Amino acid sequence: MHDNEAVVELRGITVEFPGVRALDGVDLTLRRGEVHALMGENGAGKSTLIKALTGVYTPTSGRVVVAGSPVAFTGPADAQASGVSTVYQEVNLAPNLTVAENIMLGNEPRRFGAIDVRAMRRRAAELLARLDVHVDPASSLGAHSLAVQQLVAICRALVVDCKVLVLDEPTSSLDAGEVEKLFTVMRTLRDDGVAILFVSHFLEQIYAISDRMTILRNGRLVGEYRTADLPRRELVHLMIGSSFEDLEKLGDAPRREQAAADGAEPLFQAVALGRKGSIRPFDLDVHAGEVVGLAGLLGSGRTELSRLLTGTDRADAGKVLLDGRPVRLATPRAALRRKIAYSSEDRKAEGLVGDLTVRENIVLALQADRGWLRRLPARTVDEIVDRYIAALDIRPANPAALVRNLSGGNQQKVLLARWLATAPRLLVLDEPTRGIDVGAKAEIQRLVAQLAADGMAVVFVSAELEEVLRLSHRVAVLRDRVKVGELVNSDDVHLGDVVDLIASGEAS
Amino acid sequence: MTRVQAIVRHRLFWPVVALVALLVANTIKNPTFVTLRVLDGHLFGAIINLLRQGAPLLLVSLGMTLVIATRGIDLSVGAVVAIAGAVGLASVAGAPDPGSLGAVLTAFVLALAVCVLAGMWNGFLVSVLGIQPIIATLVLMTAGRGIAMLITDGQITTVTSAPYKAIGSGFWLGLPIPVLLAAAVMAAVALLTRRTALGLLVESVGINPEASRIAGVGSRAIVWTVYVVCALFAGLAGLMVSADTMAADANNAGLFIELDAILAVVIGGTSLAGGKFSLSGTLVGVLVITTLTVTVGMMSISPSVTPLFKAVVVIAVCLAQSPAVRERLAARRRRAASTAAAAAEVAA
Amino acid sequence: SSGAKAGDTGDAAGGSDGDLISIGFAQVGAESGWRTANTKSIKDTLTKENGFDLKFSDAQQKQENQIQAIRSYIAQGVDVIAFSPVVESGWDAVLQEAKAANIPVILTDRAVDTDDDSLYVSFIGSDFVEEGKRAGEWVSENLGTEPINVVELQGTTGAAPTIDRKKGFEEATKGNSNITVIDSQTGNFTRAEGKQVMESFLQAHDDIDLVFAHNDDMGLGALEAIEAAGKVPGKDIKIVTIDGVKDGMTALSEGKFNYIVECNPLLGPDLADIAKKVVAGETVEKRIVTKDEAFDQEGAKAALPDRQY
Amino acid sequence: MGALAGVRPRAVRSFRLDRRYLPVLGTLVVLVLMLAVGGGRYDGFVSGRVISNLFLNNAHLVVLAVGMTFVILTGGIDLSVGAVVALSGIVAAVSFQAGLPAAVVIPLVVLVGSVIGLLVGVMVHVFGVQPFVASLAAMFLARGLCYVLAPESVPIRDESFVALSSWSVQFGDGWRVTSAVVIALVTLAVAVWVLQRTRFGRTVYAIGGGEQSARLMGLPVARTTVLVYVVSGTCAGIGGLLFAMYSRSGYSLTGVGMELDAIAAVVIGGTLLTGGTGFVAGSLLGVLVLGLIQTIITFEGTLSSWWTRIVIGALVLVFVVLQRGLMGRRTT
Ligand SMILES: Nc1ncnc2c1ncn2[C@@H]1O[C@H](COP(=O)(O)OP(=O)(O)OP(=O)(O)O)[C@@H](O)[C@H]1O
Ligand SMILES: Nc1ncnc2c1ncn2[C@@H]1O[C@H](COP(=O)(O)OP(=O)(O)OP(=O)(O)O)[C@@H](O)[C@H]1O
Ligand SMILES: [Mg+2]
Ligand SMILES: [Mg+2]
C-alpha cells in the first residue's frame, strides 16, 4: 500500500439539477497506482461525481485538478485526451457498429488517412482476449448480450494508455468468472501506476480489489477510508446510516421448504417450448408460491428462456399451459392479460420509458392492461405510486421526476414497481438486482420471498449464483442455450453443486 | 426563480412573443386589423378571418401532433385534404338536389369515410408491415392527388350548395363555423388524450416502442388509430377547404399543408423524435404560421421575399426557444462564477 | 424519319401500324382546368383513327421529368415530339439530342428561350402579351373614363404567362392616367390562393374598383372573397380575367365577372395538322397563334351553351 | 470459480452480419426484377440507351441522395436540398450572365451549398433546433434568395460551361456517359470511402446509433454533426451544378419536392430514418428505382395525369413491400 501522489483531486464539487442538488461539496482524491472504490447507496451521487469529473456535467461549484493543474473538461473526449478513460454506468456504445469498431472508434489504426480495418480487428481481438472474451470482432455489437457489451465497453477504455481509469458499475452484469478476469486486468494496470476509480454494489468485490474508498451519502461526503481499516458492517453503516444487524435480518430472508406439494398442479407449464436460433425446446414447471431460479453462464440462454415464457419472443415450438389449460402467448400483451409479467434485464432499452415520469412508468403496464379508455383514476394512481415509492424506497420520492434522471438503481426499482403493480400470477425477473445497492438488494430479495409466500410464482434470473440459490425453491440450469438440468434446492445444496451441473451438464 | 423568469422560460414564451409581434405589426400597418364589426349578426374582421383561415391547418396539425408523438410522420395529409374535397363535392354534385341538407350530410359522411380508409391504409403500412412512416405516407401523398383527380376527372368540380358552403364560410352564434368546428375538435382531442389514458400510451409508444410493447401496450393498435385520426381530421379540413371556394381542386387543395402542419407542431414544442406532445403548443404554432401568411399579404410584401420572411421568423423563434442557448448562457455564468471562486481561493 | 421502327410498344393494339404517325407528347401536368382541357383536346385528336400513335406523359410540373420523357421518346424513336415546356429556358441540350436523332419538335402553348430556332419546327399557342393587352384595352376603354384603383392577381412567379400578361396589361393601360394599379401579388393561378390574396387586398385597401386576374380560377377565388366581405362582385368591384373556362364564363354570364379574354386550350387539331405536314416533309410556319376571342357579359351568355370545357 | 470462466463464443454470428446488407440486396433484387418485367413488356426497354438515360437523367439526384445519406445516418434530415439546387443553379446562371468565368462560377456554386449546409448544421448542433425545422428554414431562405436573384428562368450560354456539360463518351449501342454522370459517380465513390474508411464516417454511424452514447464514447459529436450538414449542403451545391448542366439554365422553381425524392431514394435504398444503418450504395439503387419508375411511366405512354401519380405511388409501394418481404420481418 503506497501513498502515492494524487493524480485526480476533486474539491468541493457541487452539482445541481433543476430542483435537485445531486452533489454537495464532495471531495475525492485519486492516487497513482491505487484502486479507489466510490461507495454509496443508489442515488448517492456516484455517477454524477464521475460525470462531473469527466466534463459531462459542469459543476455548480468546486474544482477539478488533474495531475496538479486545474482543468474543466468539456466532455469525455477532452477527458480522454488528458488520460482519463471512463466506462459509464449503463452501456453507452453504438449497437449498430461492430464489436471491433466500438472498441477502437476514435483510436483506429490508420493507413494513408483510411482506417486499416484488418489492423483494427486484430487490435480489438487482442484486447478482447485480454479479458478472455471470445466474440467475433466483426460481429455487430447489438447482437450480443448486455454482459458482452459491458466487457466491450471495458475494452474500449483500455485502448488508450490512460493515467486514470474510471469504472462505473462495470461488474453489475458480469458473472464471477468475468469479474475475476476484470480484476486481473485491473491489478496489472494498478501495478503499472494507473489510478482506478471503481464503483460496485458488491461488497466482496470492493474488499477484493480496492485499496481505499470514498463514501457518499445523499450527495454528501461521508469520508475517505483505507479498505483494510474498515470492517464491512462499519462500511454499510456509513453508507446507509442504519446498522448492519438490521440489514442482516433483511438479508436472511426466509427460505421456505418445497412450497408446492409434488402432486399439485403447476400454475405454469412450458412443454417443449423453443425457438430456432435462440433456445432449444425445454420443459419448465412453475408452481404458485414457488421461486424457480435460472442458473447458467453468460450467454447460456437465461434471457432467451425468460422471453419465451412471457411472450416477449414468439416461440416456434412447443406450448404453454396455464392452470393446465393451453394458452397462446403471442405478445407480451397477451401474457399480461393472463397476469404473466416480464421484467427485462436491459432496463434502458426494454424496460423504462425514459422521458416519462416515475408515476407514469409505474402505472404504464397496469394502464395498458386496462385499455386506454378506462383511465386509472388519479387517486388510485397516487395510491399505487406512493405505496411503491415507499415500499421500494425509490429516491427521490418524487412521482413527477423523469425516470431518465433517476440513478441506475432507482430506475430498476421503478421497473420492479411497474410489474408488481399489475399483481401478476407469474413474475419473470431477469436480473432484477443489477446495479442495486446492498440495502435495496436485500429489500428486493425479501420482497421476492414475500411475494412467493403470498402465492405468486416467480422465475428469478441473476448473474449472482448465491442469490439464486438463496431465493429459489428449484434451480433450472442452462448451458449453451439448452436446459441441461434441474435441482431441487434445500439446505444441503451448495454453490458447488450448481457449478458442477453447469460444467458437466448432469443432474446431481 | 422569479415569476418573470418562469414565464420567460416557458416553452411557449417565444412563439407567443412572435405571434404578438406579428399581430402588433399588422395593427400598426393597418389599425382596422384589430377591429371587429358585426354584420347581419355575424362577427367580421381581420382577426376572425385569420382564425377562419387557420382552422383547416389546426385540424391537420392536431392529427399530425398525435402521429408525431408516436414517432411517425404523415406526409399524405395534403393529398387527403384533396381527396375529401373531391369526394364531398363530387357526391353533392351527383345528388338530385345539391342544396338539400340530406345530400350534403351524405357527402360529408362519404368523404370522411373515404378519409378513414386512407388513414387505415397508412396505419396498416406503418404498424403492420412496419414500413417507415415517411415512405409509407409518401405512397399516398403521391397517389392520393391522382385519386382525387380521378374522382373529379381532372376538372375543378364546382357546385352551389348552401349547406355545404356553410362548413367553410358559414356562421353560427356569430362565429365562423370552421373556427367552431376546429375548436370543438381540439377540445375533443384534448379530452380524449388527457382524460383517458390515450395520451400516456401514445407518448410511451413514441418514446420507447420496445419497452412499451413489453409493458403490454397495444402499440400496433395505437399507431394505427393515430393515423386514422390524422386522416379523419385532414378530411374534415379538406371539406372546409373545398367549401371555402366551393371547388374541389385536386391539384392545389392542401398543397404543402403537411409542411405547415409539421412546422406548427414543432414550433409548439413537440419533438419529431416522438414522445411528449403539446396540443396548446400546436395551437400556438398554427396561429403563428397563419398570422405569418396573413401578415405577408397585409404588408404588401413582394411575393419574392415571402419565403425569406418565413425563414427569418422560423429561425428567430427556434433560436430564442432553443434550450441549448439558455443552458449555454447559464453554464457560462456558472463557469465564470466558479473560476472566480477558484481564483479567490488561490489568492487566499 | 424512319417510320418503320416507329415504337410499336407491347400494348399497341392491332398488329402493324407502320403507317401511323408516332408522336410523343410531354405535357406540363394537370395543374388547372385549362390544362386538363388542353390534354383532352390533344388526346381526342391524336387518335389511331386520325392516323396517330400517341405517347403521352405528364411531367407533374417538373422540368427534369419532361426532359426525361423527351429523352425516352428519342430512345423509342418516335416520328414527332411535341411538348409544352414547363419553363422557358434549359432545353438546348435535349433538343439538340432530338435534332441529332432527326426527330422534329413542335412546341405547344409555351415557347422556349433559345438562340437556335432550328431546334424546333413550330410553336403553336396563344400570344400571352396580346391577352394582357386586350384585357387592359377593354378596361381602359370601358372603365378608365374616371379614376379607378386596380389590384392585380398574378400567376405563378416567373412563369411566361404571368410575365407576359402583366406586361401586356401594363402596356395597354399606361397611357391612361385614370388607372392606378395599387397592389399586385401572386395567387399562383389557384382559386384558394386567389381568395386568400384578395382577402388581404380587401383588408389593406378599402378603395378597390377592379380586379385583374391572370386566370379565371384566381378571379373566381377573388369573387368569393368579395362576396364574403359583403360587396357585390361585378358591380362594387369589377373583375377582368383571362382564360375562359366554363366556370369563368358562367360567372361572366351571371354578371359577376365583367370581361374575359379567352386563351384557347384546344390545340389538338392544330397540332395534328402541323405534325402531319412535318412528317410529310412540308414546310410549316414557325409561329402559329391560336385564335382567341374575348367576351363581355352578353357575349358569354351567347357562347356558354356550346362551351366544351 | 474456475469452472465458470469464459464467455462462450456465440453460435451463428456470421449470419447476423449479413443482415445489415439485406435491405440493399433486397433493393437490388427488386430493381433487377423491375428491369426484367419492363424488358418483357416494352421493346427496347433494356437497352444501352435507356439505361444510360437512367443515369443521365438522375445524376443530380444521385449526388443529393449521397449527401442526404450522411444526414440520415446521423438520424437527421435535410429538407433544404431541393431549394439549394435551385439557388445554386440560379447563382450559376446569374454569375455567367455577369460574365464570370467557369473556373470561378463552379466553385462558387458548390460553396453556396456548403454555406447553407453550415447554417443548418450550426442551427441543429449549436442551437439544438430540430433538423427538420432548421433545414425547412434553410429551404425557405434559399427559395427566397432564388426569387430575389431572378424570378424568371435564366439561360446559361457560357461556352466553357456548355462544353463541359455536353462532353460525353459514346460506346457500344447507345451507351453514353456524360460529364455529369462521371461527377456523380466520383462523388459517390468518395462518399463510400469516407463513410466506410474514415473516422468521420464511422462517427457518423456511431451518432446514428445513439448521440448520447457517442458523446460518452468521447467522439467528436459536435464537429461531426455540423460537418454532416455541410456535406449534404455541398452535395446539394454539386447537385445544383449538375442540374444547371442538365438544363443549362437556372430557375427559381427548380427542385420543388426534390428533397422528398432524395429522401425516398435513401430510404428505399435501405437506410433507416432513425439513423445508424444504411449504405450510400443503397441510395444509388434507390435513385435508380425512382428513375426506373419514371421510365416505365413514359414507356407506358398512355397514362393520364392522374393515373401517372397513382401508378408512381403504387410502384413505390410494390417496391418497399417487396423489399420488406425479402428482408423478412424484423422484431422491433
Ligand atoms: N440529469 C439529471 N437531472 C436531474 N436529476 C438527476 C440527473 N442525473 C442524476 N440526477 C439525480 O442525482 C442523484 C444522484 O444520481 P447518481 O446517478 O449519481 O446516483 P448513483 O450514486 O450513481 O446511484 P446508482 O448506484 O443507483 O447508480 C439522484 O437523485 C438522481 O435522481
Ligand atoms: N443469436 C442471437 N440472436 C438474437 N439475439 C441474441 C442472440 N444472442 C444474444 N442475443 C440477445 O442477447 C441477450 C442476452 O442473451 P443471453 O443468451 O446472454 O442470455 P443470458 O443467459 O440471460 O445471459 P445474460 O446473463 O448476459 O443475460 C438476449 O436478450 C438476446 O436478445
Ligand atoms: Mg450510478
Ligand atoms: Mg440475461
Side-chain angles (χ1 to χ4, degrees):
Chain A
M1 193 73 228
H2 18 244
D3 259 27
N4 281 323
E5 84 265 30
V7 192
V8 173
E9 286 175 273
L10 300 176
R11 289 290 168 263
I13 300 290
T14 300
V15 174
E16 281 171 348
F17 298 107
V20 193
R21 174 169 286 202
L23 288 177
D24 190 359
V26 172
D27 298 339
L28 180 114
T29 310
L30 198 55
R31 298 172 181 82
R32 235 181 86 82
E34 74 164 355
V35 174
H36 193 115
L38 183 57
M39 302 298 294
E41 287 181 284
N42 293 137
K46 304 180 293 294
S47 302
T48 308
L49 187 63
I50 287 168
K51 288 184 176 170
L53 163 64
T54 57
V56 179
Y57 297 147
T58 314
T60 321
S61 68
R63 63 201 164 93
V64 180
V65 180
V66 173
S69 45
V71 291
F73 294 131
T74 55
D78 194 13
Q80 213 168 36
S82 304
V84 182
S85 274
T86 313
V87 177
Y88 294 92
Q89 190 179 12
E90 308 293 331
V91 173
N92 283 291
L93 296 172
N96 54 326
L97 296 181
T98 64
V99 169
E101 282 177 324
N102 270 290
I103 294 175
M104 304 296 299
L105 208 56
N107 304 293
E108 305 93 335
R110 286 187 288 189
R111 267 208 328 226
F112 315 119
I115 295 171
D116 182 347
V117 175
R118 201 146 343 129
M120 179 175 81
R121 297 219 170 122
R122 206 174 328 114
R123 180 96 177 82
E126 282 165 23
L127 284 162
L128 288 167
R130 201 163 158 194
L131 287 173
D132 210 8
V133 186
H134 300 280
V135 296
D136 179 3
S139 60
S140 107
L141 181 83
H144 295 289
S145 71
L146 213 53
V148 171
Q149 297 189 14
Q150 183 75 63
L151 290 167
V152 168
I154 294 169
C155 286
R156 180 173 170 76
L158 301 180
V159 169
V160 283
D161 287 328
C162 54
K163 285 186 298 204
V164 180
L165 178 62
V166 182
L167 301 169
D168 193 355
E169 294 197 33
T171 55
S172 62
S173 52
L174 301 187
D175 71 16
E178 262 73 44
V179 170
E180 204 37 60
K181 242 158 284 156
L182 175 63
F183 282 3
T184 312
V185 175
M186 280 167 69
R187 287 191 189 105
T188 319
L189 290 172
R190 177 186 61 190
D191 296 344
D192 292 347
V194 175
I196 300 175
L197 185 63
F198 179 70
V199 179
S200 170
H201 288 295
F202 296 96
L203 298 190
E204 312 82 67
Q205 294 179 3
I206 298 298
Y207 280 95
I209 189 84
S210 73
D211 304 311
R212 208 184 278 272
M213 61 177 83
T214 294
I215 302 174
L216 302 181
R217 191 164 74 221
N218 283 332
R220 293 215 178 77
L221 177 68
V222 173
E224 195 203 67
Y225 306 87
R226 280 170 173 275
T227 310
D229 299 348
L230 191 69
R232 278 175 200 224
R233 49 188 65 221
E234 188 62 18
L235 165 61
V236 172
H237 175 67
L238 290 173
M239 270 165 58
I240 306 183
S242 63
S243 77
F244 193 55
E245 281 69 31
D246 297 347
L247 263 178
E248 269 186 332
K249 257 184 262 143
L250 285 177
D252 243 10
R255 186 170 71 200
R256 293 196 316 172
E257 289 310 307
Q258 183 59 28
D262 279 340
E265 188 186 49
L267 169 74
F268 181 93
Q269 282 173 284
V271 183
L273 200 64
R275 181 181 160 90
K276 257 200 221 80
S278 162
I279 188 159
R280 285 254 290 281
F282 64 92
D283 293 338
L284 187 74
D285 294 355
V286 191
H287 295 81
E290 186 185 36
V291 179
V292 175
L294 297 185
L297 296 182
L298 295 181
S300 56
R302 292 165 300 182
T303 296
E304 276 82 350
L305 191 151
S306 314
R307 290 174 73 94
L308 286 193
L309 293 184
T310 52
T312 311
D313 286 338
R314 212 175 294 192
D316 55 15
K319 60 180 174 179
V320 168
L321 307 179
L322 192 67
D323 298 322
R325 276 191 303 278
V327 291
R328 230 173 74 83
L329 304 177
T331 59
R333 189 171 169 70
L336 267 172
R337 199 161 292 148
R338 303 207 154 75
K339 298 255 167 250
I340 299 175
Y342 170 61
S343 166
S344 165
E345 64 177 342
D346 190 348
R347 58 176 172 246
K348 186 170 158 194
E350 299 178 341
L352 295 159
V353 184
D355 280 332
L356 291 185
T357 61
V358 169
R359 172 211 304 268
E360 289 166 329
N361 268 286
I362 290 179
V363 297
L364 183 63
L366 195 59
Q367 181 64 66
D369 194 34
R370 282 170 68 103
W372 63 271
L373 259 178
R374 296 173 50 226
R375 193 171 93 123
L376 283 162
R379 183 141 7 110
T380 321
V381 171
D382 288 341
E383 259 169 42
I384 294 174
V385 171
D386 290 346
R387 174 146 43 93
Y388 284 104
I389 285 183
L392 298 175
D393 191 20
I394 294 170
R395 277 182 253 171
N398 172 13
L402 290 189
V403 149
R404 177 162 50 92
N405 293 338
L406 255 53
S407 78
N410 282 301
Q411 291 185 350
Q412 184 66 49
K413 294 185 200 167
V414 171
L415 190 59
L416 209 58
R418 175 197 294 167
W419 302 122
L420 294 183
T422 61
R425 298 179 68 196
L426 171 65
L427 177 59
V428 179
L429 296 170
D430 196 353
E431 309 274 8
T433 53
R434 189 166 70 80
I436 288 213
D437 67 41
V438 268
K441 184 179 280 182
E443 190 67 35
I444 287 177
Q445 291 173 0
R446 198 188 52 78
L447 196 72
V448 169
Q450 184 59 46
L451 289 169
D454 293 349
M456 190 185 289
V458 179
V459 173
F460 189 86
V461 184
S462 170
E464 260 183 288
L465 269 184
E466 295 85 348
E467 194 182 28
V468 174
L469 264 185
R470 177 126 45 99
L471 280 176
S472 11
H473 301 101
R474 268 183 306 130
V475 180
V477 178
L478 287 105
R479 196 180 59 195
D480 289 342
R481 291 153 189 274
V482 182
K483 185 183 160 200
V484 290
E486 220 171 85
L487 274 176
V488 175
N489 199 4
S490 65
D491 284 336
D492 40 71
V493 173
H494 297 288
L495 208 59
D497 302 331
V498 182
V499 172
D500 287 345
L501 184 52
I502 292 173
S504 68
E506 286 152 22
S508 48
Chain B
M1 202 162 36
T2 67
R3 199 192 190 88
V4 176
Q5 261 175 324
I7 292 175
V8 172
R9 271 161 184 272
H10 192 273
R11 199 166 25 80
L12 289 179
F13 177 73
W14 288 108
V16 170
V17 166
L19 181 60
V20 172
L22 286 171
L23 292 176
V24 168
N26 279 322
T27 315
I28 292 171
K29 161 87 184 169
N30 192 340
T32 61
F33 186 79
V34 278
T35 56
L36 293 177
R37 61 207 157 86
V38 179
L39 209 77
D40 313 333
H42 302 157
L43 227 42
F44 277 100
I47 301 276
I48 298 290
N49 244 341
L50 191 149
L51 291 178
R52 195 172 49 76
Q53 275 181 26
L57 182 60
L58 177 60
L59 284 176
V60 173
S61 304
L62 285 174
M64 190 68 85
T65 309
L66 295 179
V67 169
I68 286 178
T70 63
R71 250 191 213 184
I73 200 155
D74 190 348
L75 295 180
S76 72
V77 285
V80 172
V81 164
I83 292 179
V87 173
L89 278 180
S91 155
V92 164
D97 176 15
S100 76
L101 197 61
V104 171
L105 286 182
T106 318
F108 286 178
V109 170
L110 197 65
L112 294 180
V114 171
C115 293
V116 166
L117 270 182
M120 290 182 71
W121 165 257
N122 281 335
F124 173 76
L125 293 184
V126 174
S127 69
V128 180
L129 295 189
I131 296 171
Q132 299 187 57
I134 214 168
I135 287 295
T137 55
L138 184 73
V139 169
L140 193 59
M141 180 193 191
T142 320
R145 289 200 183 272
I147 293 169
M149 273 191 257
L150 192 68
I151 294 165
T152 59
D153 202 22
Q155 305 292 337
I156 298 180
T157 308
T158 46
V159 194
T160 2
S161 162
Y164 194 110
K165 198 176 163 105
I167 197 179
S169 38
F171 282 85
W172 192 59
L173 300 178
L175 285 169
I177 289 179
V179 176
L180 293 173
L181 259 178
V185 169
M186 167 130 188
V189 174
L191 272 180
L192 216 58
T193 52
R194 299 303 180 204
R195 287 280 157 256
T196 73
L198 195 61
L200 171 67
L201 299 186
V202 162
E203 287 177 351
S204 139
V205 168
I207 298 167
N208 191 340
E210 179 61 7
S212 307
R213 187 181 79 93
I214 292 180
V217 178
S219 338
R220 178 175 292 182
I222 284 180
V223 171
W224 204 334
T225 312
V226 152
Y227 281 91
V228 172
V229 167
C230 185
L232 179 67
F233 291 174
L236 201 54
L239 291 177
M240 284 180 189
V241 169
S242 67
D244 195 23
T245 53
M246 283 312 279
D249 184 345
N251 266 291
N252 297 304
L255 197 62
F256 299 132
I257 201 170
E258 59 279 350
L259 286 186
D260 277 348
I262 295 168
L263 205 57
V265 172
V266 175
I267 288 180
T270 301
S271 159
L272 284 166
K276 290 275 176 193
F277 63 90
S278 154
L279 295 175
S280 51
T282 297
L283 175 65
V284 173
V286 166
L287 288 178
V288 168
I289 288 178
T290 316
T291 315
L292 195 60
T293 321
V294 168
T295 309
V296 172
M298 286 287 296
M299 298 283 160
S300 301
I301 291 169
S302 146
S304 327
V305 207
T306 312
L308 266 182
F309 190 67
K310 238 182 178 174
V312 168
V313 171
V314 169
I315 292 174
V317 169
C318 284
L319 291 196
Q321 208 179 1
S322 146
V325 175
R326 287 184 218 160
E327 214 162 88
R328 230 158 265 251
L329 289 178
R332 187 176 301 167
R333 241 178 284 130
R334 263 206 308 263
R335 204 166 290 187
S338 73
T339 33
E345 208 169 309
V346 170
Chain C
S1 73
S2 47
K5 64 167 179 179
D8 10 9
T9 52
D11 60 316
S16 150
D17 39 325
D19 46 347
L20 293 183
I21 299 173
S22 66
I23 179 166
F25 188 87
Q27 180 62 288
V28 174
E31 74 281 8
S32 64
W34 188 96
R35 188 65 62 192
T36 316
N38 177 245
T39 301
K40 190 163 182 304
S41 160
I42 285 161
K43 282 195 168 172
D44 288 352
T45 324
L46 304 179
T47 56
K48 292 237 161 60
E49 296 77 60
N50 290 344
F52 290 95
D53 175 20
L54 173 68
K55 291 177 192 313
F56 178 87
S57 85
D58 174 351
Q60 297 172 58
Q61 285 103 285
K62 289 187 189 160
Q63 185 179 21
E64 61 266 34
N65 286 355
Q66 225 169 16
I67 295 182
Q68 267 182 47
I70 295 172
R71 284 226 170 98
S72 160
Y73 293 144
I74 299 173
Q76 294 175 59
V78 296
D79 297 326
V80 185
I81 290 173
F83 74 110
S84 299
V86 175
V87 206
E88 285 189 328
S89 48
W91 301 99
D92 293 29
V94 69
L95 292 187
Q96 267 153 12
E97 282 174 37
K99 194 178 171 187
N102 272 326
I103 302 175
V105 173
I106 302 168
L107 306 176
T108 64
D109 172 36
R110 296 181 184 176
V112 298
D113 177 5
T114 174
D115 294 337
D116 179 5
D117 40 345
S118 73
L119 291 180
Y120 62 88
V121 293
S122 183
F123 164 38
I124 313 166
S126 306
D127 182 342
F128 299 139
V129 179
E130 182 62 26
E131 289 167 358
K133 219 181 244 170
R134 286 172 76 176
E137 277 161 6
W138 185 86
V139 170
S140 185
E141 281 160 25
N142 294 279
L143 307 169
T145 47
E146 52 197 270
I148 55 166
N149 290 327
V150 178
V151 291
E152 184 180 24
L153 289 170
Q154 299 176 28
T156 308
T157 311
T162 306
I163 299 165
D164 291 353
R165 285 171 187 169
K166 188 171 164 60
K167 193 164 116 197
F169 189 81
E170 275 166 8
E171 268 174 30
T173 53
K174 90 178 154 231
N176 189 335
S177 57
N178 278 336
I179 299 174
T180 357
V181 177
I182 55 171
D183 217 332
S184 171
Q185 280 207 23
T186 176
N188 248 327
F189 284 133
T190 69
R191 237 177 250 218
E193 281 189 58
K195 181 174 179 188
Q196 247 176 46
V197 174
M198 191 63 205
E199 273 171 357
S200 67
F201 282 167
L202 287 167
Q203 197 65 48
H205 316 278
D206 0 282
D207 47 357
I208 300 169
D209 299 304
L210 178 106
V211 180
F212 169 51
H214 285 189
N215 78 346
D216 284 350
D217 282 324
M218 290 189 294
L220 290 162
L223 186 155
E224 294 274 344
I226 294 168
E227 279 183 344
K231 300 196 173 174
V232 183
K235 298 228 161 50
D236 298 344
I237 297 179
K238 303 198 162 50
I239 303 177
V240 172
T241 71
I242 295 172
D243 259 8
V245 297
K246 205 167 202 162
D247 285 345
M249 294 296 276
T250 313
L252 185 60
S253 67
E254 286 166 357
K256 294 178 176 174
F257 277 7
N258 300 72
Y259 194 64
I260 294 182
V261 179
E262 187 192 38
C263 178
N264 193 349
L266 306 182
L267 304 180
D270 279 339
L271 177 59
D273 198 33
I274 306 285
K276 276 187 180 148
K277 281 188 187 158
V278 167
V279 172
E282 295 171 35
T283 50
V284 293
E285 273 180 80
K286 203 82 200 176
R287 177 75 173 97
I288 295 158
V289 179
T290 43
K291 287 172 284 297
D292 291 336
E293 294 177 50
F295 304 91
D296 55 15
Q297 291 171 348
E298 292 313 309
K301 275 185 201 139
L304 196 58
D306 23 74
R307 278 314 259 194
Q308 301 167 30
Y309 55 90
Chain D
M1 279 299 127
L4 284 175
V7 173
R8 301 286 161 84
R10 300 241 168 178
V12 276
R13 262 302 129 64
S14 53
F15 171 72
R16 294 207 114 230
L17 183 69
D18 282 351
R19 291 183 67 87
R20 289 191 296 156
Y21 297 101
L22 268 184
V24 180
L25 279 179
T27 312
L28 188 64
V29 169
V30 185
L31 186 70
V32 171
L33 216 74
M34 273 167 97
L35 267 176
V37 170
R41 202 168 145 76
Y42 315 109
D43 277 348
F45 188 82
V46 189
S47 67
R49 183 152 206 152
V50 170
I51 293 173
S52 301
N53 278 350
L54 205 55
F55 280 88
L56 246 66
N57 290 328
N58 294 296
H60 59 277
L61 200 54
V62 169
V63 177
L64 291 189
V66 164
M68 189 67 79
T69 312
F70 278 78
V71 175
I72 291 184
L73 278 176
T74 64
I77 201 153
D78 188 352
L79 295 179
S80 70
V81 294
V84 172
V85 164
L87 181 61
S88 44
I90 286 194
V91 168
V94 171
S95 354
F96 279 128
Q97 222 174 25
L100 294 179
V104 174
V105 174
I106 291 176
L108 178 75
V109 163
V110 177
L111 195 68
V112 166
S114 314
V115 169
I116 294 200
L118 182 67
L119 194 80
V120 178
V122 167
M123 275 199 279
V124 168
H125 187 77
V126 181
F127 297 104
V129 179
Q130 293 189 30
F132 194 97
V133 181
S135 60
L136 197 61
M139 164 178 154
F140 287 141
L141 190 75
R143 280 273 172 233
L145 289 176
C146 282
Y147 293 119
V148 171
L149 284 175
E152 294 136 49
S153 94
V154 183
I156 298 177
R157 303 225 161 81
D158 181 84
E159 269 162 33
S160 46
F161 189 78
V162 169
L164 173 68
S165 61
S166 44
W167 178 89
S168 74
V169 191
Q170 309 250 4
F171 49 92
D173 179 30
W175 289 91
R176 195 153 68 103
V177 168
T178 60
S179 45
V181 175
V182 173
I183 294 175
L185 293 181
V186 168
T187 313
L188 183 84
V190 171
V192 170
W193 183 80
V194 167
L195 270 182
Q196 301 303 323
R197 281 285 186 274
T198 65
R199 276 190 193 166
F200 167 69
R202 302 321 290 173
T203 306
V204 167
Y205 278 93
I207 293 177
E211 189 179 325
Q212 184 60 25
S213 294
R215 194 167 290 135
L216 290 182
M217 284 167 87
L219 301 175
V221 173
R223 192 181 47 191
T224 309
T225 310
V226 175
L227 260 184
V228 152
Y229 288 92
V230 173
V231 167
S232 171
T234 308
C235 282
I238 299 175
L241 183 73
L242 295 190
F243 197 81
M245 286 165 64
Y246 180 69
S247 67
R248 287 191 209 161
S249 66
Y251 179 44
S252 52
L253 282 180
T254 309
V256 173
M258 205 180 264
E259 59 279 348
L260 280 181
D261 288 341
I263 294 168
V266 172
V267 173
I268 287 176
T271 302
L272 288 184
L273 280 170
T274 41
T277 37
F279 300 94
V280 185
S283 305
L284 170 70
L285 295 180
V287 171
L288 293 183
V289 167
L290 292 183
L292 200 63
I293 289 176
Q294 201 64 42
T295 311
I296 290 176
I297 299 276
T298 35
F299 265 83
E300 187 61 39
T302 51
L303 295 175
S304 54
S305 296
W306 35 99
W307 282 114
T308 302
R309 287 175 190 255
I310 296 174
V311 171
I312 291 179
L315 285 177
V316 170
L317 176 74
V318 167
F319 197 87
V320 287
V321 170
L322 272 182
Q323 189 198 29
R324 228 35 237 130
L326 280 179
M327 274 162 61
R329 295 183 62 91
R330 208 183 2 209
T331 40
T332 29

